[in-house]
Amino acid sequence: MKTAIAPLLAVLFLAACSNGNVSKEKESNVADSSGQEKGMAIDATVTDQSERIQLKDDKLNAIYEQYNHLTSAVVKGDVKGARLAGNAIETGARSLSGGEKIALNAAKIAATADLETLRIAFSALSNDLIVLTKKSGLDKGRLYIDFCPMAMNGKGAYWLSRDKAMQNPYFGEKMLTCGEVKGTIQ
């Protein structure tokens, strides 16, 4: 089954690399139908944010875009969505210099149906992605390095975020705003 999904994920991964006008149309439609920017759907907000953030390494930027989907899915407790994003990250990381650890942890995410096991792999993947993102740097925008001191049985865990507002992937709705910004990447 993984063989049948791989071509689909490759197409999705490559589509994530594109910063075309499709996302702008989606955002406009959402803004037009709601009449207020603050009332926009989460996907439209993420699309808007992705246009303001650009990593210097294009392959890493594509992985980062999938990481955003992964983070959102983990926050919501959406194991299926997290597994799909993990599969796309694995595909992209295999072609990235220094992406071996990211690919390994993304494969663990894609292979598990258990949310807690997934969060452990997400933590390791996040740590590796933070290191590579710091090395790459950004052409545009700012990323926040967030930290939850209670995650991983009190050991704490990091993740990357586009916003200062906390959306904790380690506890989801239970403690959505738990955490603090520990650093920024510009």
Side-chain angles (χ1 to χ4, degrees):
M1 178 161 168
K2 190 172 185 179
T3 307
I5 293 176
L8 175 62
L9 289 173
V11 170
L12 291 173
F13 182 74
L14 293 174
C17 295
S18 171
N19 284 334
N21 292 332
V22 175
S23 61
K24 289 181 183 178
E25 283 179 22
K26 180 179 178 183
E27 179 184 328
S28 297
N29 290 341
V30 172
D32 289 345
S33 65
S34 70
Q36 296 179 356
E37 279 190 23
K38 290 182 181 178
M40 290 189 340
I42 291 172
D43 289 342
T45 303
V46 169
T47 302
D48 179 45
Q49 291 288 338
S50 68
E51 292 173 359
R52 290 187 263 155
I53 294 173
Q54 177 68 42
L55 279 67
K56 289 182 179 178
D57 183 310
D58 288 337
K59 288 181 181 180
L60 187 59
N61 192 67
I63 290 168
Y64 173 73
E65 291 302 321
Q66 291 301 319
Y67 175 81
N68 282 319
H69 295 295
L70 172 62
T71 303
S72 178
V74 176
V75 166
K76 295 174 187 172
D78 175 11
V79 174
K80 183 178 176 184
R83 291 176 70 184
L84 285 172
N87 216 336
I89 291 169
E90 179 188 6
T91 301
R94 292 200 183 283
S95 68
L96 179 68
S97 176
E100 298 81 15
K101 288 181 181 179
I102 291 175
L104 177 67
N105 287 305
K108 289 178 184 177
I109 290 168
T112 188
D114 178 64
L115 186 58
E116 292 311 311
T117 302
L118 193 147
R119 285 182 169 141
I120 292 167
F122 174 80
S123 175
L125 187 149
S126 293
N127 291 338
D128 296 330
L129 186 60
I130 289 168
V131 169
L132 288 181
T133 303
K134 283 181 175 179
K135 283 182 186 176
S136 167
L138 276 64
D139 278 335
K140 225 169 24 171
R142 175 183 301 191
L143 291 174
Y144 298 95
I145 302 170
D146 294 338
F147 179 74
C148 174
M150 296 173 57
M152 304 298 128
N153 295 320
K155 294 177 185 172
Y158 292 90
W159 74 97
L160 281 174
S161 173
R162 300 172 188 256
D163 297 312
K164 276 187 175 181
M166 287 297 129
Q167 294 244 318
N168 188 329
Y170 298 106
F171 291 103
E173 291 181 11
K174 292 177 188 173
M175 299 179 73
L176 188 61
T177 59
C178 176
E180 61 184 305
V181 175
K182 287 289 194 176
T184 59
I185 303 173
Q186 296 182 7

